[in-house]
Amino acid sequence: MTEHHSERPGISRRTLLARTGAAAAALVAGPVIGGLRPALAAGAWRVPGEETPHKRTWMAWPSSTTIWGSSLSLIQADIAELARTIAAYEPVVLCADGPAAASRAGSMCGPSVTVIDSIPVSDCWMRDTGPLFRVDGAGGLDSFGLNFNAWGENATSFYGIPASAYDKDRSVAQKVAAYAGASFARAGVVGEGGGVEYDGDGTLMATESCWVNDNRNPGKTRDEIEAELLTRFGASKMIWLPGVTGQDVTDGHIDGTARYIGPGVVMVQLAGAVRPDVWTANAQAIHDVLVNATDARGRRLRVLTIEGPDTLPRIPAGKQKAFLSSYMNWTVTNQAIITTQFGDTAKDEAARTAIEAAYGRPVVQLDLDRLYGNGGGGAHCVTMQEPSR
């Protein structure tokens, strides 16, 4: 996920690109249910589901004017509010790029957030740059990285942000893992944490548009990519979902549309009235695949749905189509779910009620319009959980 320079009005991570063809042509379809492999042995390494207990949440402090321009202070304010909110429910470690950035982060986040300057960062998208932590059920912790390459270098091709602006983020995963005391390995594929959802019980889901893409994995087949992801996550089945290419920087990350609540249960956001047609169609296509899917245990998935907002009263009309109006991009904490609200009172409340019922945990809704609008990413995009052992 990336963000836009303030001098590029109306562009965000979700901006529709004029260079694309018809919206329907952007949908990536094809066979969607991946192969089922034998379940891994008990005690094998696996990435646990996000709803399981955390030791802490990792975040990163944005401080680059090359990336953010004059929007930087607005993004920092949203990151600070989110960090403070999460810290009420579990520890937060925030990486800042040097002492000056750490000082500003500390003053804006307050004493409840641990700010460190020993891990240099380019930007705030810890979900995509950080490590995926694994546990083995016997107190072990290790990790792997997905070789972040600035979303297939889309940050450069979309917005003209130099590739070098993200150089520090290319090594964040290994350094966070070292700080956490976890061994680290690099996966044999390129991608981002926001591009794959996992239930911790053997099943992954991902959009093909993110992974089977020459900007990340040239020359690799879908089967090869699937095998590598299953091995790294400690899973045995992949559900491939339709995606959207060339319409946002991520090429259609799954975490804005469909999320695991827990093993056997997923939630999908169907588009509200403000979403452009291509995203509306893609959300429906993802839903239609999932209602017919089974997981690694052979269970038919229980598919819950919510709807996106119909209005964005705080957002200028000319910027609404590029705005990430996704309640789904929540972050899970030990005691609460942190998501957003958009000012559509009825839809905000309906989403809060549904998510709270699904998790059985309180839902906190924040106004994060700068992050979701200027950045085109949300609470999930800027966090990475470290599981308890």
Side-chain angles (χ1 to χ4, degrees):
M1 67 214 58
T2 196
E3 45 303 304
H4 75 72
H5 194 289
S6 64
E7 295 172 358
R8 302 177 182 89
I11 298 175
S12 84
R13 174 173 174 259
R14 303 284 168 174
T15 296
L16 302 182
L17 301 179
R19 71 169 183 250
T20 59
L27 295 179
V28 176
V32 290
I33 307 295
L36 178 63
R37 304 189 332 163
L40 299 180
W45 293 100
R46 64 182 179 87
V47 177
E50 293 181 34
E51 79 285 357
T52 59
H54 301 172
K55 179 178 180 178
R56 56 193 163 195
T57 286
W58 286 88
M59 297 182 67
W61 184 252
S63 58
S64 170
T65 54
T66 299
I67 294 172
W68 286 105
S70 60
S71 297
L72 180 60
S73 62
L74 301 175
I75 301 301
Q76 289 175 336
D78 275 7
I79 293 293
E81 181 178 11
L82 179 60
R84 291 192 304 268
T85 303
I86 295 170
Y89 301 101
E90 65 184 58
V92 175
V93 177
L94 181 71
C95 302
D97 191 27
S103 177
R104 179 168 173 80
S107 66
M108 293 183 69
C109 293
S112 65
V113 176
T114 299
V115 179
I116 62 174
D117 64 9
S118 57
I119 300 177
V121 294
S122 302
D123 206 357
C124 59
W125 308 110
M126 185 61 78
R127 180 65 48 181
D128 293 347
T129 63
L132 279 299
F133 290 101
R134 306 192 304 180
V135 297
D136 65 358
L141 181 75
D142 78 355
S143 67
F144 64 93
L146 291 169
N147 305 298
F148 177 73
N149 74 341
W151 312 278
E153 309 299 348
N154 278 341
T156 300
S157 59
F158 280 27
Y159 310 134
I161 299 172
S164 59
Y166 293 95
D167 282 351
K168 294 172 184 176
D169 279 352
R170 299 172 200 267
S171 58
V172 163
Q174 185 170 0
K175 292 175 181 177
V176 168
Y179 188 102
S183 61
F184 177 81
R186 293 188 179 278
V189 292
V190 173
E192 304 86 38
V196 60
E197 279 283 309
Y198 39 94
D199 70 350
D201 196 37
T203 310
L204 309 180
M205 61 179 179
T207 54
E208 189 170 339
S209 52
C210 291
W211 295 94
V212 192
N213 191 321
D214 285 346
N215 65 12
R216 291 165 172 93
N217 294 295
K220 283 186 166 59
T221 67
R222 195 184 76 170
D223 286 348
E224 290 170 337
I225 295 165
E226 176 179 305
E228 175 67 5
L229 289 173
L230 291 176
T231 297
R232 293 292 177 182
F233 278 84
S236 58
K237 183 172 183 178
M238 171 70 83
I239 302 174
W240 287 109
L241 297 168
V244 178
T245 55
Q247 300 256 336
D248 76 338
V249 167
T250 72
D251 291 307
H253 272 183
I254 187 61
D255 67 349
T257 304
R259 302 286 304 278
Y260 275 110
I261 303 297
V265 183
V266 298
M267 182 175 281
V268 178
Q269 178 174 311
L270 300 177
V274 297
R275 295 295 279 160
D277 287 347
V278 66
W279 295 108
T280 299
N282 188 58
Q284 187 64 54
I286 285 173
H287 170 270
D288 292 348
V289 171
L290 290 173
V291 295
N292 292 298
T294 56
D295 66 12
R297 305 284 184 178
R299 295 172 291 215
R300 176 65 63 90
L301 293 177
R302 180 184 176 206
V303 182
L304 310 174
T305 60
I306 61 174
E307 292 184 357
D310 292 325
T311 63
L312 296 171
R314 299 188 297 258
I315 307 302
K319 295 184 177 181
Q320 292 189 6
K321 287 187 176 181
F323 189 92
L324 176 61
S325 54
S326 172
Y327 299 110
M328 304 299 298
N329 203 262
W330 62 64
T331 190
V332 179
T333 75
N334 287 332
Q335 297 173 305
I337 311 301
I338 317 300
T339 187
T340 190
Q341 50 88 359
F342 300 112
D344 181 332
T345 305
K347 286 296 186 72
D348 289 350
E349 177 59 20
R352 186 198 65 78
T353 300
I355 298 166
E356 189 169 280
Y359 275 104
R361 302 181 195 185
V363 170
V364 179
Q365 290 182 302
L366 304 176
D367 174 354
L368 300 173
D369 283 357
R370 283 63 48 189
L371 183 63
Y372 279 71
N374 290 39
H380 192 247
C381 298
V382 297
T383 56
M384 178 61 80
Q385 72 284 348
E386 180 182 337
S388 298
R389 304 195 190 193

